[in-house]
Amino acid sequence: MELLSGADMLIRSLQDEGIEYIYGYPGGAALHIYDALFRQDKVKHILVRHEQAAVHMADGYARATGKPGTVLVTSGPGATNTITGIATAFMDSIPMVVLCGQVASTLIGEDAFQETDMMGVSRPVVKHNLSVRHPEEIPEIIRKAYYIAATGRPGPVVVDIPKDMTTPNERYEYAYPKKVKLRSYNPAIRGHAGQIKKAVDMMLAAKRPVIYAGGGVILGKASDQLTELVRMLGYPITNTIMGIGCYPASDKQHLGWLGMHGTYEANMAMHHSDLILCVGARFDDRVTNATEKFCPGARIIHIDIDPASISKTVDADVPIVGPVDAVLKEMLALVKEAKEKPDADAIASWWKQIDEWRAFHGMRYETSPDVIKPQEVIEMLCRLTNGEAFVTSDVGQHQMFAAQYYKFDKPNRWINSGGLGTMGFGLPAAMGVKLTHPDDEVLCITGEGSIQMNIQELSTCKQYNLPVKIINLNNQALGMVKQWQDMNYESRHAESYMESLPDFIKLAEAYGHKGVRIEKKEDLETKLKEVLAMKDDLVFVDIYVDRFEHVYPMQVARGSMKDMWLSKTERV
Amino acid sequence: MRRIISVLLENEPGALSRVVGLFSQRNYNIETLTVAPTEDETLSRLTVTTTGSDKVIEQITKQLNKLIEVVKLVDLTEGAHIERELMLVKLKATGSQRAEIKRTVDIFRGQIVDVTSSVYTVQLAGDSDKLDGFIQAVGTSGVLEVVRSGVSGIARGEKVLSL
Ligand SMILES: Cc1ncc(C[n+]2csc(CCOP(=O)(O)OP(=O)(O)O)c2C)c(N)n1
Ligand SMILES: [Mg+2]
């Protein structure tokens, strides 16, 4: 057997795990590891400019590829800088492993230089964390970390590595474990057959059914099964903002997404349904509005890999714990062989009702002859990229517009911080996508507030040649905050206005990129086309959009699913 | 409703803090918490008493189960069970009080385990209500110090919580 130092074992373990990229930033406690990285060329390291960005980059990679991302940072400030990124991944169940240097085990607890209790600090925002206590354990810990991160309901795993675990001249026998077994961790591999049968019977008997799908379908790689089932049944489907792309948005059966800024027809259909089949979603408060008023006439079937997501906020009538792909496959088989068929008359009149709702609102917005509307920018981008781009977003109005007006037909292409709502996510996430999808169009749709939270990554983009397109919907305000202030605080705009914005064009140029400003509506299409033709350049597109626009529909606070504002003046 | 949840936990550093952290993080109550290694040195047994609606209790057990280091758990209050808590109490004991206290201790089947000229130290085991009952019986004015272990519990009959 080979003898390797702890640091070499760590890197070898990453190689044996099949890791292509790690995103990170060096420092004292991680230097043995960085030296081991230097002496090999299988695992590529991407040097970011802020550790938070490393985590979002790993996150973007994971969301686009379905594989766990990897981060490497030093102890203390390096580790604490990752927390927002880890919390972001945790809320959206994104698989990743964050390797953190730590002061030597002999110094832990002594307030040593750059010592932070990362196990303690990260505990509430990780799926699990592991600390290395003997260098020999490193291969097994790494194997466990990826196994836990990527199986069951995925999530981030932190590995804390004291510096003396990676000392160069202390060598140990290296073997990468083929299997991991944890007696206390056994995610379900299939759903309960009886429950699945019961669910299918209810689905076939339903008169006003809706399928409500979430990010779990994408994480569980079950889009194909879901699409087949929905088509076979002919029922309407809506999805959460995390589930965008799990079913083709351009399909007639798709109602758009639901919840606070969901479509009128999706929210109306949910409210009036008699049966909801929830697949890999979690009845989040941004979806349900007031839970006591939630869908009063609906019985609920809930499929989820995480039993704790079931009946957490809204009670399920038929809970099914299991991986969504396996459960949907069984459902498909049962629907195929069932003697009963969906009630054609009932379903037809249900569709008639839904089409009326659809016609009533249809995601309309007011256009203007001279002011650029953010919605039209997104619609145009969707058209110019054939709806095939990878789109990452930050958080705010621009995020909602991007999710509403870009039509995604495929999973893994809409990448946003849905659960934590982390401003600063968009650019590093786009970088993580672009790195592994160099030939695909990668758009980062952002706002002038959000982009400044990780703007330093323009430098990383230069170093690694990552020609993403940054679409800055510049409304010269923290627009989403301002919208809430307009609606709830009589337009008192406390600190939601951004004075002294930088010249983003010059800023992009200073980092060695291109910048394009669009202020006139008549320039929009030509300039966007020019930008998209600049394949090899990162282009910062600073688009001056309507400063007063609001996102609609918007559910009325503490109301039911069907209580919505449809514009500044219309409330239903 | 008050519940007694009994947990088999990997006996590893940090495992306990995960359990305790979960309760505060998700706004669950902890009334008592006891933990000690078992006959299998890789496992600890933890007993937590908590209160909450059925929905909250269901979430607590599910969230506990999700912790990687939780191997198994049972809500003892779902079936017949035995519940015990140990209490040590220092009581002011002078003059006529001494005989009075002794009688009360006998009624509650406790023991006086340490004596000075003015203080009795009493040891008492039982369910939490019994311990509360004792304190009430002797009267809080005479109580100098109370130490309670928190609840331990086990199912009645042949049911066991093991691997
Ligand atoms: C890190 C962080 N801080 C604060 C917020 C609260 N917040 C949500 S949206 C928003 C405004 C975002 O402004 P901008 O990026 O310009 O987007 P816009 O809404 O104007 O499109 C803020 C401050 C947040 N989501 N994330
Ligand atoms: Mg803005």
Side-chain angles (χ1 to χ4, degrees):
Chain A
M1 238 190 254
E2 262 177 295
L3 292 180
L4 297 177
S5 74
D8 286 320
M9 283 204 283
L10 176 65
I11 301 303
R12 267 294 285 283
S13 301
L14 297 178
Q15 293 175 355
D16 288 341
E17 190 63 39
I19 304 306
E20 315 161 83
Y21 291 105
I22 56 184
Y23 315 91
Y25 208 91
L31 284 183
H32 297 328
I33 304 171
Y34 271 88
D35 191 60
L37 257 177
F38 188 83
R39 289 181 277 100
Q40 56 88 53
D41 54 12
K42 284 199 185 132
V43 182
K44 291 177 208 67
H45 181 272
I46 306 295
L47 178 70
V48 293
R49 301 300 184 262
H50 186 297
E51 289 88 350
Q52 183 189 344
V55 188
H56 293 328
M57 228 181 143
D59 185 322
Y61 165 88
R63 293 185 205 229
T65 62
K67 293 190 265 185
T70 307
V71 174
L72 172 60
V73 296
T74 190
S75 65
T80 54
N81 268 351
T82 64
I83 291 295
T84 302
I86 294 172
T88 303
F90 181 65
M91 287 295 271
D92 290 345
S93 308
I94 304 303
M96 72 167 58
V97 172
V98 180
L99 307 164
C100 297
Q102 181 55 282
V103 300
S105 60
T106 48
L107 295 178
I108 288 180
E110 296 184 1
D111 301 319
F113 178 64
Q114 296 195 326
E115 177 186 356
T116 300
D117 172 15
M118 187 57 179
M119 296 293 285
V121 170
S122 66
R123 199 202 61 235
V125 292
V126 292
K127 180 168 175 188
H128 195 54
N129 55 18
L130 297 153
S131 152
V132 178
R133 266 162 285 145
H134 307 285
E136 306 95 296
E137 297 173 347
I138 287 175
E140 196 193 330
I141 285 183
I142 296 300
R143 184 80 186 80
K144 262 191 202 170
Y146 282 97
Y147 172 67
I148 293 170
T151 53
R153 178 178 180 176
V157 174
V158 162
V159 182
D160 198 49
I161 312 166
K163 190 166 184 182
D164 51 339
M165 300 297 124
T166 55
T167 311
N169 48 16
E170 290 167 20
R171 291 164 202 278
Y172 306 87
E173 287 188 352
Y174 173 82
Y176 198 61
K178 286 198 183 63
K179 269 196 176 164
V180 249
K181 192 143 173 49
L182 287 160
R183 63 179 171 185
S184 56
Y185 174 70
N186 298 296
I189 50 170
R190 53 176 304 183
H192 185 279
Q195 293 287 88
I196 295 177
K197 174 79 179 70
K198 199 162 144 195
V200 167
D201 290 344
M202 278 164 72
M203 280 154 60
L204 291 172
K207 303 211 179 303
R208 297 182 312 281
V210 186
I211 287 123
Y212 150 45
V217 175
I218 295 172
L219 294 164
K221 303 183 175 77
S223 295
D224 290 346
Q225 289 89 334
L226 178 73
T227 306
E228 196 184 339
L229 181 69
V230 172
R231 293 218 163 117
M232 189 180 297
L233 291 166
Y235 293 173
I237 175 168
T238 174
N239 51 253
T240 65
I241 199 167
M242 293 307 299
I244 286 178
C246 72
Y247 185 92
S250 55
D251 188 85
K252 200 185 147 293
Q253 279 170 254
H254 190 253
L255 309 183
W257 49 278
L258 81 170
M260 182 175 277
H261 292 297
T263 65
Y264 176 71
E265 54 269 31
N267 287 343
M268 292 297 278
M270 285 289 286
H271 186 84
H272 294 94
S273 65
D274 69 346
L275 182 79
I276 294 170
L277 170 64
C278 171
V279 191
R282 59 184 174 90
F283 297 86
D284 175 86
D285 56 291
R286 284 292 191 270
V287 161
T288 58
N289 212 354
T291 46
E292 68 278 9
K293 299 177 190 162
F294 179 74
C295 304
R299 283 183 305 160
I300 293 171
I301 303 165
H302 190 172
I303 309 171
D304 207 293
I305 187 73
D306 175 11
S309 282
I310 297 177
S311 300
K312 181 174 65 180
T313 59
V314 170
D315 287 334
D317 297 286
V318 181
I320 303 174
V321 177
V324 281
D325 57 342
V327 173
L328 289 173
K329 222 191 225 159
E330 285 190 51
M331 284 189 160
L332 262 168
L334 288 177
V335 171
K336 272 184 204 163
E337 71 198 26
K339 279 191 224 63
E340 314 83 73
K341 296 291 160 214
D343 180 340
D345 290 345
I347 301 301
S349 60
W350 180 224
W351 270 116
K352 189 166 162 282
Q353 169 70 79
I354 290 172
D355 286 335
E356 279 167 27
W357 287 327
R358 209 179 236 167
F360 175 69
H361 184 253
M363 293 310 288
R364 63 186 139 89
Y365 58 89
E366 265 175 53
T367 52
S368 134
D370 37 35
V371 184
I372 301 174
K373 291 285 179 174
Q375 298 94 327
E376 64 196 1
V377 177
I378 306 293
E379 282 184 327
M380 192 174 288
L381 282 167
C382 182
R383 182 158 53 77
L384 296 178
T385 56
N386 300 315
E388 303 226 300
F390 284 83
V391 178
T392 71
S393 89
D394 269 300
V395 174
Q397 292 182 318
H398 61 272
Q399 174 191 25
M400 297 301 129
F401 292 133
Q404 288 177 329
Y405 293 95
Y406 199 102
K407 300 290 170 210
F408 294 87
D409 282 348
K410 292 182 189 156
N412 306 94
R413 302 212 165 206
W414 163 246
I415 291 171
N416 85 134
S417 166
L420 197 67
T422 309
M423 290 170 69
F425 174 80
L427 175 58
M431 292 156 56
V433 178
K434 189 68 186 173
L435 194 64
T436 42
H437 299 77
D439 301 325
D440 287 294
E441 194 66 71
V442 179
L443 309 176
C444 165
I445 294 179
T446 185
E448 78 302 316
S450 295
I451 192 64
Q452 293 191 74
M453 287 216 179
N454 267 317
I455 191 87
Q456 76 287 345
E457 296 310 314
L458 287 174
S459 173
T460 311
C461 292
K462 187 68 194 164
Q463 182 175 351
Y464 298 96
N465 182 32
L466 300 171
V468 300
K469 303 292 180 278
I470 298 173
I471 310 292
N472 188 34
L473 298 182
N474 192 339
N475 54 8
Q476 299 158 69
L478 302 176
M480 187 55 95
V481 171
K482 194 171 140 203
Q483 172 169 349
W484 283 52
Q485 291 168 335
D486 285 338
M487 297 175 79
N488 303 320
Y489 301 90
E490 297 164 325
S491 297
R492 288 187 299 278
H493 295 155
E495 308 297 325
S496 56
Y497 174 64
M498 282 267 214
E499 281 176 333
S500 60
L501 284 176
D503 180 335
F504 286 111
I505 307 304
K506 280 198 193 141
L507 187 69
E509 286 167 359
Y511 278 106
H513 304 298
K514 301 272 160 61
V516 171
R517 180 170 293 126
I518 308 178
E519 283 167 296
K520 293 202 201 87
K521 188 166 161 144
E522 62 266 29
D523 293 344
L524 184 64
E525 181 152 5
T526 28
K527 289 210 173 170
L528 281 181
K529 279 184 179 159
E530 277 168 31
V531 165
L532 293 170
M534 297 159 79
K535 293 280 172 222
D536 300 330
D537 293 305
L538 181 152
V539 189
F540 194 111
V541 195
D542 193 19
I543 309 177
Y544 279 72
V545 295
D546 189 344
R547 291 166 48 209
F548 305 103
E549 194 54 287
H550 282 181
V551 181
Y552 294 108
M554 181 166 180
Q555 282 175 337
V556 175
R558 292 172 295 281
S560 72
M561 289 291 289
K562 71 170 176 19
D563 302 317
M564 286 170 268
W565 287 97
L566 297 180
S567 71
K568 284 184 186 169
T569 51
E570 277 169 279
R571 186 182 156 159
V572 289
Chain B
M1 249 262 286
R2 176 171 175 275
R3 302 294 187 111
I4 305 170
I5 297 170
S6 199
V7 183
L8 280 180
L9 193 66
E10 295 285 0
N11 186 5
E12 275 174 22
L16 179 61
S17 74
R18 261 183 248 280
V19 173
V20 177
L22 176 75
F23 275 77
S24 63
Q25 190 183 330
R26 295 201 179 258
N27 218 358
Y28 306 144
N29 285 322
I30 295 186
E31 265 175 16
T32 73
L33 175 78
T34 66
V35 58
T38 64
E39 79 290 358
D40 173 350
E41 64 187 22
T42 66
L43 288 173
S44 301
R45 174 85 174 232
L46 179 144
T47 313
V48 55
T49 57
T50 181
T51 50
S53 63
D54 287 353
K55 201 177 168 85
V56 169
I57 299 296
E58 183 182 328
Q59 268 297 308
I60 292 177
T61 55
K62 284 173 166 180
Q63 294 291 352
L64 277 171
N65 256 320
K66 246 171 92 170
L67 295 178
I68 307 282
E69 282 141 340
V70 167
V71 187
K72 262 191 182 172
L73 67 81
V74 63
D75 177 351
L76 289 173
T77 19
E78 275 178 356
H81 63 279
I82 298 159
E83 147 183 8
R84 287 291 177 273
E85 190 176 356
L86 177 74
M87 177 165 74
L88 296 170
V89 202
K90 270 196 179 144
L91 297 167
K92 225 187 300 164
T94 47
S96 63
Q97 282 173 325
R98 292 176 84 89
E100 175 91 12
I101 291 173
K102 174 83 177 67
R103 258 200 313 278
T104 316
V105 169
D106 289 342
I107 293 169
F108 280 84
R109 299 209 194 136
Q111 290 155 303
I112 296 170
V113 290
D114 192 40
V115 180
T116 71
S117 57
S118 59
V119 170
Y120 277 165
T121 303
V122 174
Q123 167 188 311
L124 208 66
D127 63 22
S128 304
D129 285 346
K130 173 173 158 184
L131 306 192
D132 293 343
F134 176 79
I135 298 283
Q136 243 173 8
V138 293
T140 45
S141 61
V143 174
L144 299 171
E145 186 179 352
V146 177
V147 190
R148 291 171 72 147
S149 64
V151 173
S152 289
I154 199 162
R156 278 192 188 277
E158 282 165 26
K159 230 164 66 185
V160 290
L161 180 65
S162 66
L163 286 187

